[in-house]
Amino acid sequence: MSGESAGRARGIVIVGAGQAGAQAVASLRSGGYEGPITMIGDETYAPYQRPPLSKKFLAGEISFDRLYIKPVEFYAQANVELVFDTRAAAINRADKEVLTGNGRIFPYSKLLIATGSRVREINVPGFDLDGIHYLRSIADVQGIQSKFREGARLVVVGGGYIGLEVAAVAKKHGLHVTVLETADRVMARVVDPIVSHFYESVHRAEGVIIETGVTVSGFEGNGRVEKVDCGDGRLYDADFVVVGIGIIPNTELAVDSGLHVENGIVVDEFARTSDPDIYAAGDCTNHPNGVYGHRLRLESVHNAIEQGKSAAAAMTGGALEYNQVPWFWSDQYDLKLQIAGLSSGYTQAVVRGDPEAGRSFAVFYLKDGMLIAVDAINRAPEFMMSRLLIAQKAKLDPARLRDESIAMKQIVQ
Ligand SMILES: Cc1cc2nc3c(=O)[nH]c(=O)nc-3n(C[C@H](O)[C@H](O)[C@H](O)COP(=O)(O)OP(=O)(O)OC[C@H]3O[C@@H](n4cnc5c(N)ncnc54)[C@H](O)[C@@H]3O)c2cc1C
């Protein structure tokens, strides 16, 4: 042990003050762990929720303090040392120490890596012009909000959840919004064409221009973005741009210290990495999922919370297996989209309700008769019941699923 670390008691160190890290702290203390906890985060704030950043917080409908996962006082009351504005730069596994970018050393008995993910940047000419924004943090929201003027022209690059949520909020604020998506439909990675086309028509009815099958090839402007070039003759005027083209897991600490990393930090169902004293949770992990029988890397609050709980249990000698149906949500206008399960590989999509006639329906994804996922639009019962049925690997009759006279509770024969 060297320098600063000599005076420090070894305890649990958490790198990353986000959703998974905050959950781990709460679970450690509620589980009776009384030893030292240090949480190192490279942002300025106590752990906060990111979903509102593209929804109510961006819209100015909720205040800053509503974002906190736990009230700031919680950490002092729980006797947790918070180290903010500090980046963990390396892990010395031999001496069991975390080294920070500003030269501090934190010895650990157990280490949790909960570093989340960062935005994927767009690498085309003009990428560094002013006015090109991403959305991951509170600071990013503040940058985008500063451009929210009625009549301003916003081009959103990427028709995934985040791009579409930003488009919906911007439209409500009176901006001219264009969404550019490379795939032939929005949200193509996660939902059936029925759902994509429904969302495209809702956005278009609100006045958003949605262009699919276009790839941004560059940005033009004199110091500041003025046009978005799609390389096929199409040029879009822009006062500013928001890019939402996916994320990259923050795995560098794990890679550099020789942990097993493969599309995320490889952990088992108890959040254990290839080092017995190091655990990982949240967006940065690649973990097994017993429901689907293969490994996953997920970007969701539910995943971060549940893995945070498993990590806390495992670090203190317990065993809480993480083995759940993934779920996610997206809010756009008056539509709450709730997704349970993973639809990839489905053989049949069954629609309950009429997407043409109203703003409430569900699409069930069956694989050889077994329910594997649902997209529920303003349909909480379908979502809730499906979570249970997916976990049970229930085989369902498509005709009964379609029949709205049969309540979801009665859907299994
Ligand atoms: C705009 C937006 C909207 C979203 N909407 C939804 C939604 O509707 N539903 C949903 O389920 N999910 C949503 N998500 C995803 C969800 O927020 C994430 O999956 C979740 O926050 C992951 O938690 P985490 O703890 O793994 O990472 P994070 O919460 O991102 O926390 C990781 C923290 O670690 C810090 N960090 C990284 N490297 C280091 C280092 N070396 N040293 C110190 N600190 C470091 C990061 O800066 C960050 O503060 C959304 C995300 C965004 C950005």
Side-chain angles (χ1 to χ4, degrees):
M1 225 187 250
S2 58
E4 180 195 345
S5 70
R8 283 183 162 272
R10 277 188 194 275
I12 292 177
V13 173
I14 299 173
V15 175
Q19 191 82 54
Q23 181 60 52
V25 167
S27 297
L28 282 167
R29 287 302 186 225
S30 65
Y33 171 75
E34 290 177 352
I37 303 177
T38 302
M39 186 185 245
I40 304 169
D42 61 1
E43 294 188 75
T44 307
Y45 312 102
Y48 61 90
Q49 308 168 64
R50 295 185 197 278
L53 301 186
S54 51
K55 306 176 182 76
K56 288 193 169 170
F57 185 64
L58 180 64
E61 290 169 17
I62 59 169
S63 62
F64 185 86
D65 39 305
R66 292 266 307 276
L67 296 180
Y68 287 123
I69 293 168
K70 292 273 179 197
V72 180
E73 314 76 68
F74 163 82
Y75 301 93
Q77 285 157 7
N79 195 20
V80 175
E81 180 188 17
L82 294 179
V83 183
F84 291 149
D85 294 312
T86 301
R87 195 161 179 75
I91 303 167
N92 174 349
R93 285 170 59 193
D95 295 337
K96 299 216 290 183
E97 293 172 340
V98 174
L99 292 77
T100 67
N102 55 4
R104 298 183 68 183
I105 299 171
F106 295 88
Y108 61 83
S109 55
K110 301 286 181 195
L111 170 65
L112 174 61
I113 304 176
T115 44
S117 53
R118 61 181 177 277
V119 295
R120 183 182 296 283
E121 294 185 5
I122 189 163
N123 185 16
V124 295
F127 73 94
D128 54 353
L129 287 169
D130 280 352
I132 298 175
H133 297 261
Y134 293 87
L135 182 43
R136 180 82 204 166
S137 65
I138 289 175
D140 294 337
V141 175
Q142 289 161 344
I144 294 170
Q145 274 173 336
S146 70
K147 308 283 171 56
F148 267 30
R149 259 184 308 102
E150 200 170 335
R153 292 159 306 177
L154 164 64
V155 173
V156 175
V157 181
Y161 300 118
I162 289 181
L164 293 178
E165 289 178 351
V166 170
V169 173
K171 199 67 220 171
K172 277 205 253 171
H173 282 70
L175 280 77
H176 294 293
V177 185
T178 303
V179 176
L180 305 177
E181 166 58 51
T182 301
D184 61 357
R185 57 190 176 89
V186 299
M187 298 191 286
R189 199 166 58 94
V190 280
V191 299
D192 185 82
I194 297 164
V195 180
S196 296
H197 296 143
F198 171 78
Y199 273 87
E200 286 166 7
S201 66
V202 167
H203 276 277
R204 286 184 177 130
E206 295 284 345
V208 174
I209 295 167
I210 305 242
E211 300 280 14
T212 55
V214 284
T215 302
V216 171
S217 60
F219 300 105
E220 295 174 8
N222 191 7
R224 161 164 295 279
V225 68
E226 290 164 17
K227 289 186 188 301
V228 181
D229 186 355
C230 292
D232 57 1
R234 278 182 279 186
L235 267 184
Y236 295 90
D237 292 329
D239 296 310
F240 70 110
V241 169
V242 175
V243 181
I245 55 170
I247 59 107
I248 297 173
N250 290 324
T251 58
E252 287 74 8
L253 271 181
V255 171
D256 295 348
S257 59
L259 296 176
H260 185 194
V261 176
E262 209 179 309
N263 184 28
I265 304 170
V266 175
V267 294
D268 67 9
E269 57 276 43
F270 302 105
R272 298 182 295 206
T273 70
S274 53
D275 180 318
D277 295 315
I278 305 182
Y279 301 75
D283 281 11
C284 63
T285 69
N286 170 336
H287 56 272
N289 184 289
V291 180
Y292 294 97
H294 59 82
R295 289 191 155 268
L296 300 173
R297 186 172 61 71
L298 294 172
E299 300 143 28
S300 79
V301 166
H302 169 245
N303 175 58
I305 289 176
E306 296 304 323
Q307 271 195 322
K309 290 180 189 170
S310 291
M315 287 191 290
T316 49
L320 177 64
E321 187 180 356
Y322 171 50
N323 179 18
Q324 300 199 11
V325 175
W327 62 270
F328 195 87
W329 75 95
S330 175
D331 298 333
Q332 298 168 42
Y333 309 107
D334 59 338
L335 304 171
K336 178 165 280 296
L337 167 62
Q338 292 170 296
I339 297 180
L342 302 170
S343 60
S344 69
Y346 69 95
T347 50
Q348 189 180 9
V350 179
V351 184
R352 182 176 169 94
D354 184 357
E356 307 275 315
R359 292 167 86 87
S360 160
F361 66 99
V363 179
F364 299 94
Y365 299 87
L366 303 181
K367 187 174 185 183
D368 304 324
M370 187 174 78
L371 184 66
I372 58 168
V374 69
D375 299 334
I377 292 100
N378 290 343
R379 288 269 174 146
E382 279 78 352
F383 168 71
M384 300 299 285
M385 196 63 206
S386 295
R387 282 180 64 188
L388 299 175
L389 295 172
I390 295 166
Q392 291 166 8
K393 300 184 190 283
K395 289 223 169 197
L396 299 176
D397 175 359
R400 288 179 68 81
L401 280 172
R402 258 184 231 112
D403 184 349
E404 295 205 69
S405 69
I406 303 173
M408 279 309 292
K409 280 187 187 147
Q410 262 81 54
I411 215 79
V412 181
Q413 275 167 310

